[in-house]
């Protein structure tokens, strides 16, 4: 989950005292290595555990989740990463919020403490409104796809998106016109609403603009007709 580059000389041990002193300031009595817990503390009837890790990785999350079996409140303590405010790291914080695990970061230079996320379980409904546009876009993309030929879990494979499907139908229409034709004829034959903009933008380099409102198939376009022959068969059913 987290890149350890540049953290080779950092140790979990050096996280202990800054975090211990932070909680002692709130009246907790702390000690290390109680059972399997890196930093354990109590205040009255409340107990709290902190899992110390150099960086936030899956093992840290797994161990913190296990600490929830014996502790009322659980944090993960790590060194403050450079990408703390990046979208990728925010995704990790989202996971912690869903699990009810807090996150504390410690500055490598100053030892200053920052509580990035409190250990409170956040219901999924708290996140859905902020992602409503993305949810809608995913649903629309799914419904627009005609072939549904993609295989999940693979990398380095070209995705048959709804845009690629439209571009293939435009390419096929141009092929039926003899490899060259007007944008009007392509639109009429392909029945793709944005056929002209697809040829003009030429995202896949399948088309060449030979004159105003007139296009032809490029060399890559002819290669695509062979590569996506099965996809086109499915699109034209």
């Amino acid at each position: 989950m987290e890149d350890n580059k540049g953290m080779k000389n950092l140790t979990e041990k050096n996280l202990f005292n800054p975090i211990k002193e932070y909680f002692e300031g709130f009246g907790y009595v702390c000690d290390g290595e109680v059972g399997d817990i890196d930093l354990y503390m109590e205040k009255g009837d409340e107990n709290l555990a902190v899992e110390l890790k150099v960086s936030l990785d899956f093992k840290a999350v797994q161990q913190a989740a296990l600490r929830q079996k014996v502790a009322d409140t659980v944090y993960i303590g790590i060194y403050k990463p450079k990408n703390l405010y990046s979208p990728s790291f925010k995704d990790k914080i989202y996971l912690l919020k869903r699990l009810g695990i807090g996150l504390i970061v410690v500055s490598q230079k100053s030892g200053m403490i920052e509580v990035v996320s409190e250990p409170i379980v956040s219901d999924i409904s708290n996140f859905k409104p902020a992602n409503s546009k993305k949810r809608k876009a995913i649903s629309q993309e799914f419904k627009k796809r005609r072939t549904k030929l993609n295989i999940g879990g693979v990398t380095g494979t070209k995705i048959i998106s709804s845009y690629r499907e439209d571009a293939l139908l435009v390419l096929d229409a141009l092929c039926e016109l003899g490899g060259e034709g007007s944008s009007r004829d392509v639109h009429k034959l392909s029945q793709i609403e944005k056929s002209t903009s697809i040829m003009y933008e030429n995202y896949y380099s399948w088309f060449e603009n030979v004159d105003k409102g007139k296009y032809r198939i490029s060399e890559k376009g002819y290669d695509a007709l062979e590569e996506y022959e099965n996809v086109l068969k499915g699109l034209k059913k």
Side-chain angles (χ1 to χ4, degrees):
M1 290 176 68
E2 184 68 25
D3 184 5
N4 291 328
K5 187 177 180 180
M7 293 188 171
K8 292 181 180 179
N9 298 324
L10 302 178
T11 65
E12 295 167 7
K13 178 182 176 182
N14 292 333
L15 291 166
F16 182 83
N17 282 330
I19 297 177
K20 176 177 178 287
E21 291 170 4
Y22 173 80
F23 282 103
E24 285 177 337
F26 291 99
Y28 287 92
V29 178
C30 310
D31 198 13
E33 298 302 329
V34 180
D36 295 329
I37 301 172
D38 293 332
L39 173 56
Y40 178 83
M41 61 196 80
E42 291 186 355
K43 184 172 72 170
D45 295 331
E46 179 190 0
N47 67 354
L48 191 152
V50 182
E51 186 66 29
L52 303 176
K53 291 293 178 186
V54 171
S55 61
L56 184 58
D57 56 16
F58 177 76
K59 187 176 181 180
V61 176
Q62 181 186 40
Q63 291 181 341
L66 293 174
R67 303 296 174 258
Q68 290 178 314
K69 294 180 179 181
V70 295
D72 300 324
T73 306
V74 178
Y75 286 88
I76 296 174
I78 63 170
Y79 289 99
K80 187 174 183 178
K82 293 180 180 179
N83 66 336
L84 179 61
Y85 303 106
S86 68
S88 62
F89 201 87
K90 287 180 180 178
D91 288 343
K92 297 168 189 175
I93 294 174
Y94 162 77
L95 176 60
L96 296 182
K97 287 182 176 180
R98 294 285 288 125
L99 294 172
I101 298 170
L103 180 65
I104 299 170
V105 297
V106 180
S107 170
Q108 297 177 36
K109 294 181 179 180
S110 66
M112 290 290 291
I113 295 288
E114 182 181 349
V115 178
V116 175
S117 180
E118 295 289 351
I120 300 171
V121 177
S122 297
D123 191 86
I124 188 66
S125 61
N126 296 332
F127 301 96
K128 285 185 177 180
N131 292 280
S132 59
K133 288 184 179 179
K134 188 174 182 179
R135 284 166 57 86
K136 184 178 180 180
I138 289 173
S139 180
Q140 288 179 337
E141 170 64 16
F142 176 78
K143 290 173 181 175
K144 284 172 65 179
R145 291 184 183 181
R146 302 171 180 85
T147 57
K148 309 289 194 297
L149 294 173
N150 296 296
I151 298 173
V154 297
T155 57
T157 301
K158 295 174 182 177
I159 302 300
I160 310 300
S161 63
S162 60
Y163 183 87
R164 193 184 293 271
E165 288 179 340
D166 285 351
L168 282 170
L169 287 172
V170 170
L171 185 65
D172 183 69
L174 198 55
C175 183
E176 288 189 31
L177 291 169
E180 185 175 311
S182 69
S183 56
R184 180 179 295 181
D185 289 340
V186 171
H187 180 271
K188 184 177 180 180
L189 188 59
S190 68
Q191 295 296 300
I192 298 301
E193 182 182 353
K194 296 182 179 180
S195 58
T196 301
S197 64
I198 287 173
M199 291 186 291
Y200 177 79
E201 291 168 2
N202 199 19
Y203 183 79
Y204 301 117
S205 301
W206 292 349
F207 310 100
E208 293 176 356
N209 184 207
V210 293
D211 202 351
K212 186 177 181 180
K214 194 172 185 178
Y215 295 85
R216 69 184 173 202
I217 300 175
S218 69
E219 186 175 338
K220 286 187 177 181
Y222 283 110
D223 290 341
L225 285 170
E226 292 185 19
E227 181 180 358
Y228 297 104
E229 183 179 359
N230 290 333
V231 178
L232 275 167
K233 286 180 180 178
L235 287 169
K236 295 167 73 175
K237 281 185 180 179

